[in-house]
Amino acid sequence: YYDVSKQDLSGQKDFTKANKALAGARTHAITPLAAAQFMLAKMRSSPLKPKLAGVLPTGNATMTMGSDEYSTQHFILGDFFVADMSPCRFDESLTLKEDYDYSCSHIAKHGSVLRCNRIVLTVRHYANQGGAVDMRDSAGKNERKNIAILQRKWPGVFKMNKKRPSEVLMKWSLHGKQSKENTSAKGRSAICDHRRRNNEVNLRWKEHCEEEEDKDEGRTRK
């Protein structure tokens, strides 16, 4: 846990100032149980009454320096979270990115989540064998399949991360506001195919009508 207030990093082009603030921050090594109890207490005391709490979704503590201590409409990492009494469940059709969907379900149902941006953890299973690691393939096919499901379920919320292939960026405030930027390449391809088929049908119909007109003119001459 990093006991530090939000730093003003406006205008910064690198992490020099953030790293300096991090080096001077007071830290506390806490157990998973203590972290979970803290998160649960924060949820239940919040006027927003969220039912899902989580931690900073990266092991790089520098990234928390310019953030608010708590976020209420952001992604909750599946590696460590606390869920209070809620009807929200994981979507079993998702083999990857299921924590993104679970976060959206909670925000849609309860209006908010609670992400504790000063709690940072490092998890071994991000790169070891088993679980989601085994579901990923080098071509990224499974990632794109699950991203397509997310974009269909939560239109406008997810867009591709240009810096990290097969990863997405989540912005709940865009929910329902679908745009070309938020539509995946697969989705844009499907739209183009649909339009092309419509154009082909219209062209064939036009040709058919012209042929019928020619036949009518021929019969009239006779």
Side-chain angles (χ1 to χ4, degrees):
Y1 178 83
Y2 287 82
D3 187 4
V4 59
S5 60
K6 179 180 177 179
Q7 304 296 302
D8 182 9
L9 302 179
S10 57
Q12 299 297 308
K13 297 181 179 180
D14 56 31
F15 292 104
T16 301
K17 184 176 180 180
N19 286 328
K20 185 177 180 180
L22 179 66
R26 185 170 57 178
T27 61
H28 304 275
I30 56 178
T31 65
L33 177 59
Q37 291 174 330
F38 174 83
M39 291 155 63
L40 181 62
K42 283 292 183 181
M43 273 199 296
R44 291 182 172 176
S45 63
S46 170
L48 298 178
K49 301 302 179 184
K51 299 297 182 180
L52 178 66
V55 300
L56 191 74
T58 174
N60 185 358
T62 302
M63 303 303 292
T64 192
M65 291 296 103
S67 302
D68 291 324
E69 186 171 359
Y70 302 102
S71 301
T72 59
Q73 292 194 332
H74 289 71
F75 165 57
I76 299 297
L77 185 69
D79 295 331
F80 185 77
F81 65 89
V82 176
D84 207 352
M85 300 296 291
S86 170
C88 296
R89 297 292 183 268
F90 283 99
D91 185 343
E92 295 183 2
S93 68
L94 286 158
T95 56
L96 295 167
K97 312 290 187 196
E98 67 280 0
D99 43 6
Y100 281 98
D101 176 73
Y102 192 56
S103 301
C104 288
S105 295
H106 269 267
I107 298 173
K109 178 66 178 177
H110 304 293
S112 68
V113 292
L114 184 73
R115 193 172 81 187
C116 303
N117 292 319
R118 299 295 185 266
I119 300 179
V120 180
L121 72 159
T122 301
V123 291
R124 184 181 300 174
H125 72 259
Y126 186 79
N128 67 353
Q129 294 181 348
V133 176
D134 285 353
M135 292 303 302
R136 296 188 177 95
D137 59 283
S138 58
K141 183 178 179 180
N142 285 333
E143 295 277 5
R144 291 191 295 272
K145 175 184 176 181
N146 286 278
I147 289 171
I149 294 174
L150 286 176
Q151 292 180 321
R152 184 175 67 250
K153 288 185 67 175
W154 311 105
V157 175
F158 295 98
K159 69 176 182 179
M160 300 305 297
N161 189 335
K162 296 178 181 179
K163 296 182 179 179
R164 301 181 65 184
S166 299
E167 293 292 340
V168 292
L169 298 174
M170 173 182 165
K171 191 170 184 179
W172 181 257
S173 61
L174 295 178
H175 183 221
K177 302 175 183 177
Q178 188 71 28
S179 66
K180 291 182 179 180
E181 183 182 12
N182 291 330
T183 304
S184 67
K186 184 176 180 180
R188 290 194 297 271
S189 177
I191 293 172
C192 290
D193 288 342
H194 177 71
R195 289 175 177 171
R196 184 171 60 251
R197 286 194 296 270
N198 282 345
N199 290 336
E200 290 174 353
V201 169
N202 291 336
L203 180 60
R204 287 196 296 270
W205 176 251
K206 182 179 179 181
E207 291 173 348
H208 171 74
C209 292
E210 290 175 349
E211 290 175 358
E212 291 298 318
E213 288 177 0
D214 291 341
K215 290 179 182 179
D216 289 341
E217 289 180 1
R219 283 193 291 269
T220 301
R221 293 193 192 99
K222 293 178 179 179

